Amino acid sequence: MAPGEGYDILLDALRRRPGWMSDAACRGLPTEAFFPPPGYRGHLERSRGAEGLAVCSSCPVAGPCAAYASEEGLEGIYGATTTAERRTIRRRGAA
Ligand code: SF4
């Protein structure tokens, strides 16, 4: 990677950030609460991510956040849903 290239990538990502992210209830919070370690899937992801899910439950942008995470195939707690829950919602929507 050329000097300054990482900076350009970061700036580009920031420019493309959806506007709703500025209203996120999780801004400034530690990310660990939203990303259970590998191996915590299904109901384990929900129990291990309880702290993050609690923050999401009062977040004003939970709807667009969950939709964004689903569209992007992101893993972790987003929009008061776990990775597995979003996959299930996607499958049901595709049926
Ligand atoms: S729904 Fe949860 S993960 Fe999404 S922006 Fe709000 S607090 Fe953050």
Side-chain angles (χ1 to χ4, degrees), residues 20 24-26 34 55-56 59 61-62 65 77-80:
W20 56 261
C26 57
F34 298 88
V55 175
C56 292
C59 179
V61 293
C65 178
I77 306 297
Y78 289 91

Side-chain angles (χ1 to χ4, degrees), residues 16-36:
R16 289 186 287 112
R17 253 174 62 141
W20 56 261
M21 286 186 178
S22 58
D23 294 323
C26 57
R27 285 185 72 180
L29 295 180
T31 57
E32 296 81 31
F34 298 88
F35 300 102

Side-chain angles (χ1 to χ4, degrees), residues 32-49:
E32 296 81 31
F34 298 88
F35 300 102
Y40 285 87
R41 295 294 176 248
H43 69 283
L44 292 176
E45 184 182 15
R46 179 157 271 280
S47 62
R48 189 65 188 254

